[in-house]
Each structure stands twice: as C-alpha cells, then as structure tokens.
Amino acid sequence: MSSHSHSLIELHQVGQSFVTHQHSVSLFADLTFSIEQGHSYAITGPSGSGKSSLLMLASGLEQPTAGEVVYSNQGHIQPISHIRSEIGFIFQQFHLLPEFDALNNVALPLKLRGHKQALAIAKEWLDKVGLGHRLKHKPAELSGGEQQRVAIARALVFNPKFIFADEPTGNLDANSAGEIADLLFECCRDKGAGLVLVTHSDSLAQQTQHQLRFNAGKCERVSAQQRAEHTVERGSKRYA
C-alpha cells in the first residue's frame, strides 16, 4: 500500500451544529483526524451521536459548520470537493434507481463520466459481487442482500480512492451481513481504497484497522488495547 501512503482526507477542528426551535444543537466540535487511503476505519457510538453526519462531512457530501475537510496528496492540499469523483458512497437504504436494472444502476456513474465501456465494466463488477446472473433484474426483484451488492458494485465501479459506507449491513440478516462485509473489505483491499464505515456492529468494527467512537459529544480514537479488551466472540452472529 506504499503508493497510497500519502493520500489522505484530513479533518481539521471540524464541528457540526444545527438550529431547531431557535436553539442551536451541536452534534460534535473540534474533531481532528486523518483518513488514509488503503486503510479501514469504523465510526461507532450511540444512535443520534453524529456518526452519519461525520461520514457526510468526511466524504464531502455536506459542509461542516466549523473547521475544514481537505484532501492531501503528496503534500498538495485541495478542498474535499475537488475529489468528489474519487469518492464512492454506500447508503443503508441502497438508493438504487427503481426503474433501472442492476446492470444500468452499476453503470450509471461511468455513463455520467462519458465512459464508452460503462456496461462492460458494470457487468464485470456484478460478476465480482456474485450477481452476474441478475444483470437484468430491477431492485424490486432483488433481495436486500442482493441490492446491497449492487450498491457496492456501483460505489466501486469507477475505482474510487475512498469508500464511505453508512450502516452497510444494518438492513441485512446475519448471513447476508457477513458476506457483504467480507466483500466490501476484499474489494477495497484489492483496489487500495480507503474504507470508512459507520456501524452499530462491534464485530464489523473489529475488522477495521482503526476505530473512532462517539461518546458524550466527543469522537475519540480507540486504542488497539481498548479494542482488544472490547472484542466479543459472537460465533455465527458475528455481524448481528
């Protein structure tokens, strides 16, 4: 992974707040950390603590109310918005287009870039995620696990530098969740992409190299020792 070692998304004193009924609510403040290409990260913590908001900020889909998010490559700094085309996002609800079959859902990011071989490359990716036999099926004709496989193929089809996934196994049964998690790690490893997951699953978080945990409005890096102490053996329910 040495070729990716200086490619980073950097968050500098990032904060996010919103106003409701004339009151300002702060989700988090002064978060500073880096996401390195080729590494995997889990963001964990209670519901409503700001995990998904942090994911949206780090990926450039939303702007922070304080601080900045930048992309750093070999010391060259750019706003995160400049590499939106290098970032893939996987949503918990899949967000597939219902009128398109699996093949055209996966091909869409390439078609939007004007890629001549969009359909051929999309077919290769559907083969990789085990759905080569479901190319012409629309989302309504696919199971939840199959829809998530399509969403993963769509996020990876243009070989992004970073993948962000919001509860990628949250809507799946334990067996499908395990397969999806393994697939996601394998694809990102093969392509040298950075992987950032929001998850409630302890066992999924344990598979990542780094963990950030929300607690009482703060997001702290979990040490290797803390992670080892927190490991829970779940047997066949590893991802439940």
Side-chain angles (χ1 to χ4, degrees), residues 20-172:
T20 174
H21 304 301
Q22 281 76 51
H23 294 290
S24 180
V25 177
S26 176
L27 281 175
F28 48 80
D30 293 325
L31 297 188
T32 297
F33 63 90
S34 297
I35 298 164
E36 185 172 352
Q37 190 179 350
H39 286 234
S40 57
Y41 302 78
I43 301 173
T44 61
S47 296
S49 57
K51 302 186 299 297
S52 294
S53 290
L54 180 57
L55 202 68
M56 298 292 272
L57 299 187
S59 63
L61 289 179
E62 290 184 2
Q63 295 295 312
T65 49
E68 64 174 352
V69 182
V70 299
Y71 173 64
S72 173
N73 186 22
Q74 305 292 336
H76 181 59
I77 307 295
Q78 296 175 291
I80 190 67
S81 57
H82 286 201
I83 64 152
R84 275 297 302 132
S85 62
E86 300 285 354
I87 289 174
F89 206 102
I90 300 166
F91 300 90
Q92 183 178 2
Q93 304 297 337
F94 317 133
H95 285 213
L96 302 176
L97 294 174
E99 67 273 22
F100 285 3
D101 59 24
L103 183 65
N104 280 285
N105 262 291
V106 175
L108 186 60
L110 294 176
K111 287 183 174 180
L112 292 174
R113 289 167 168 77
H115 204 296
K116 298 283 197 300
Q117 300 297 317
L119 290 173
I121 295 170
K123 183 181 183 304
E124 288 176 14
W125 270 101
L126 284 167
D127 286 337
K128 284 182 187 179
V129 301
L131 286 180
H133 62 301
R134 306 284 266 169
L135 303 180
K136 295 301 180 183
H137 289 74
K138 293 182 179 179
E141 301 170 306
L142 302 172
S143 70
E146 288 171 333
Q147 289 184 62
Q148 191 63 297
R149 288 170 185 266
V150 174
I152 288 172
R154 181 184 59 187
L156 294 168
V157 71
F158 55 93
N159 291 327
K161 289 185 164 87
F162 297 91
I163 295 288
F164 292 84
D166 193 0
E167 294 284 4
T169 63
N171 283 336
L172 307 176

Side-chain angles (χ1 to χ4, degrees), residues 148-239:
Q148 191 63 297
R149 288 170 185 266
V150 174
I152 288 172
R154 181 184 59 187
L156 294 168
V157 71
F158 55 93
N159 291 327
K161 289 185 164 87
F162 297 91
I163 295 288
F164 292 84
D166 193 0
E167 294 284 4
T169 63
N171 283 336
L172 307 176
D173 62 73
N175 188 53
S176 295
E179 292 177 357
I180 291 299
D182 292 343
L183 176 65
L184 202 48
F185 282 104
E186 179 187 344
C187 289
C188 288
R189 223 171 14 243
D190 289 349
K191 297 298 180 181
L195 175 62
V196 187
L197 303 164
V198 162
T199 183
H200 279 99
S201 167
D202 285 339
S203 47
L204 180 54
Q206 288 293 334
Q207 286 194 77
T208 62
Q209 295 163 296
H210 311 277
Q211 184 177 353
L212 298 159
R213 183 184 297 152
F214 271 102
N215 186 22
K218 295 181 179 178
C219 190
E220 300 168 341
R221 190 177 289 272
V222 183
S223 71
Q225 182 178 348
Q226 287 173 310
R227 298 186 75 192
E229 291 170 354
H230 194 65
T231 299
V232 177
E233 181 57 55
R234 291 174 179 255
S236 62
K237 295 185 178 180
R238 289 182 303 158
Y239 306 93

